[in-house]
Structures are given as structure tokens and as C-alpha cells.
């Protein structure tokens, strides 16, 4: 398995750009703006047990890498870490060979395999990375067609931001609703911008919910800019019902 971690720290700079660096092992890692926070990562280390966590060594490695590459007013330290994220991805290997200790296992970290079960019309994806999702999606579409599932081949907008006209209509409705005036204090970005940036077309349903109940725009986690309507939406559409989720 391949283990990767991210660190969430206070916002580094005001720019909206994603910063990319090579770490001391010549592997890319990033600093990604996320509202009032920045996300630093990821690492890539081999683990045998998928039940793992962020270790002090993982954390200190990323902090050391970013401190070496940015002239920050004060170097980041463990006390600056607001939260951590850890993920484990299975590595796809040949069933007859496996991966030995001598294998260049990092070459496997982006590979994926797709299996199709015609009897049950079931498609399974192993391995892969979200950065390769478009290619994997094409393979899934081809497999679905083989299973007799009809797909809309003319649809071109299944990913990415909706058209500009749709975006403009959302912000028009948000202005008429007075959405941005519902915030009780200054924030990194307006609520309308936040909802559109994070949810796209789904922001229309959130705007409607706020129209019906203005308390849906109340922040529920101080300093996180996370509002009540987002929590309700997550519980309804993403099966997120407990804090641990």
C-alpha cells in the first residue's frame, strides 16, 4: 500500500495559486489554498498495513520541506498544524508476482486496474489516483457500454465548472437574496463565492435552503467558515452524519 498525508495549517500568503515543489526525495508536493487554511502534502511512503495514521515523522518531514522552500515570517512548527489527513491507496500488482522489497514500488502508485463482471454487471476499480480520474472514467465508460449500459456520448460538461452564464445566474440570485449580507463578521471570501467555488451547480439548492431559512447561513464551526447548510447537505448527500465522518 502507498500512504500519503496532508497537513492543514493557517493560510500561507494571500495568493490563490497552488504552489508546487520537489522535496528532498525529488517527489512533488504542494501547498494548496483552502479558504483561511493551506493544505500541504502529500507524502508517499510504503506501508504493509492499511490501518495507519499520521506519525510525528510524517508531520516533521513535511514541515521541514516547506520551511526549506518558503521564506516564511516564522517557520511552521507542530503547534501550527490544525489537523492532519492520512490516506492509504492499494498498489496494483501482477497476481503471480507481487511486489518484492527490491521493486521500485513508487512506480506502481499511479497505476490502476479495472475488472468487469458481466454476470452481475459489476465494475471494480483497483488502485489509481484522483489526478488520473479522467482516463479512468473513459475506461469505466467503455466497460459500461460493454455491459449494455447506454451512455450519453454527446455530454461534454460532466466535470469542471458549469458555463459562465450559469455562474452569473447564481451570483445574480445570490445578490437578490442578500446572501453575502447574512454573514455576521468579515471572512476570507464572500458566502456566495464560497458556495459556488465548493459546490458549483449544487449551490443553487443551498441558496434555496437559505432563502427558506436564513439560519442556514450561520457558521457552525468558529473560524472554519463552514455554514449550516453545508452540514445539512453533507448529511443528505454524502452519508456524513457523525463528527468522525
Amino acid at each position: 500500500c502507498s500512504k500519503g498525508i496532508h497537513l492543514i495549517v493557517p493560510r500561507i500568503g494571500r495568493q490563490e495559486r497552488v504552489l508546487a515543489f520537489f522535496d528532498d526525495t525529488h517527489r512533488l508536493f504542494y501547498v494548496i489554498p483552502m479558504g483561511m487554511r493551506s493544505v500541504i502534502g502529500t507524502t508517499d511512503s510504503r506501508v504493509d498495513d492499511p490501518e495507519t495514521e499520521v506519525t510525528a515523522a510524517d508531520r516533521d518531514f513535511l514541515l521541514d520541506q516547506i520551511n526549506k522552500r518558503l521564506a516564511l515570517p516564522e517557520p511552521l512548527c507542530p503547534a501550527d498544524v490544525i489537523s492532519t489527513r492520512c490516506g492509504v491507496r492499494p498498489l496494483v500488482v501482477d497476481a503471480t508476482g507481487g511486489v518484492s522489497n527490491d521493486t521500485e514500488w513508487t512506480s506502481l502508485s499511479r497505476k490502476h486496474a479495472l475488472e468487469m463482471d458481466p454476470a452481475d454487471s459489476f465494475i471494480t476499480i483497483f488502485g489509481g489516483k484522483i489526478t488520473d480520474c479522467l482516463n479512468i472514467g473513459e475506461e469505466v465508460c467503455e466497460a459500461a457500454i460493454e455491459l449494455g449500459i447506454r451512455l450519453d456520448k454527446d455530454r461534454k460538461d460532466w466535470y469542471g465548472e458549469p458555463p459562465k452564464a450559469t455562474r452569473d445566474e447564481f451570483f445574480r440570485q445570490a445578490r437578490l437574496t442578500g446572501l453575502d449580507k447574512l454573514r455576521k463578521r468579515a471572512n476570507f471570501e464572500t458566502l456566495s463565492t464560497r458556495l459556488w467555488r465548493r459546490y458549483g451547480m449544487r449551490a443553487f439548492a443551498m441558496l434555496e435552503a437559505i432563502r427558506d431559512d436564513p439560519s442556514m447561513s450561520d457558521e457552525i464551526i468558529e473560524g472554519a467558515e463552514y455554514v449550516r447548510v453545508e452540514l445539512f447537505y453533507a448529511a443528505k448527500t454524502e452519508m456524513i452524519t457523525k463528527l468522525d465522518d
Side-chain angles (χ1 to χ4, degrees):
C1 297
S2 173
K3 169 187 173 183
I5 75 153
H6 289 86
L7 305 180
I8 313 299
V9 300
R11 181 68 178 251
I12 298 175
R14 301 292 296 182
Q15 75 283 337
E16 291 296 329
R17 297 182 180 88
V18 174
L19 306 179
F21 304 94
F22 284 101
D23 65 23
D24 290 349
T25 67
H26 308 292
R27 187 182 184 282
L28 276 171
F29 75 103
Y30 302 89
V31 179
I32 304 171
M34 189 177 70
M36 295 293 290
R37 313 294 183 221
S38 289
V39 183
I40 304 174
T42 180
T43 58
D44 194 356
S45 55
R46 182 176 175 179
V47 293
D48 296 323
D49 186 352
E51 298 294 329
T52 187
E53 61 186 9
V54 178
T55 66
D58 295 329
R59 177 203 63 203
D60 292 344
F61 174 79
L62 274 182
L63 292 177
D64 179 59
Q65 298 304 305
I66 196 63
N67 285 332
K68 287 180 178 179
R69 287 157 181 81
L70 288 180
L72 300 172
E74 293 290 338
L76 289 173
C77 66
D80 294 315
V81 177
I82 298 168
S83 66
T84 60
R85 298 176 178 178
C86 179
V88 175
R89 182 174 60 252
L91 300 178
V92 177
V93 299
D94 190 309
T96 60
V99 181
S100 69
N101 290 332
D102 296 328
T103 301
E104 182 56 39
W105 67 272
T106 55
S107 65
L108 304 173
S109 65
R110 293 179 180 273
K111 292 185 177 181
H112 68 277
L114 187 146
E115 291 186 357
M116 181 172 59
D117 183 352
D120 293 328
S121 296
F122 203 82
I123 300 171
T124 304
I125 305 168
F126 301 93
K129 296 191 70 174
I130 193 169
T131 47
D132 199 32
C133 66
L134 298 184
N135 293 326
I136 297 174
E138 292 291 342
E139 293 183 31
V140 171
C141 288
E142 293 174 4
I145 292 173
E146 285 188 40
L147 293 175
I149 300 172
R150 182 177 177 179
L151 302 179
D152 183 358
K153 295 184 178 180
D154 295 329
R155 184 168 181 179
K156 304 294 184 182
D157 60 347
W158 65 273
Y159 66 92
E161 185 175 4
K164 182 178 183 298
T166 305
R167 179 185 186 278
D168 291 345
E169 175 60 20
F170 171 78
F171 281 97
R172 186 187 73 84
Q173 293 188 26
R175 286 193 300 272
L176 293 175
T177 304
L179 180 63
D180 295 335
K181 297 180 181 179
L182 296 175
R183 305 300 288 270
K184 303 300 189 295
R185 62 179 179 81
N187 292 274
F188 184 80
E189 60 187 350
T190 63
L191 182 54
S192 57
T193 298
R194 171 184 170 78
L195 294 183
W196 182 259
R197 175 176 62 81
R198 290 180 64 90
Y199 303 103
M201 286 292 294
R202 295 173 291 175
F204 281 97
M206 294 182 173
L207 180 59
E208 185 65 29
I210 292 172
R211 284 198 196 103
D212 295 338
D213 180 3
S215 70
M216 283 289 191
S217 66
D218 293 345
E219 289 188 3
I220 57 172
I221 302 174
E222 185 177 355
E225 300 192 357
Y226 195 82
V227 298
R228 190 164 170 246
V229 72
E230 295 177 88
L231 179 64
F232 275 69
Y233 188 87
K236 181 179 179 180
T237 65
E238 300 178 21
M239 300 176 65
I240 296 176
T241 58
K242 304 187 300 296
L243 186 60
D244 287 346
D245 295 333

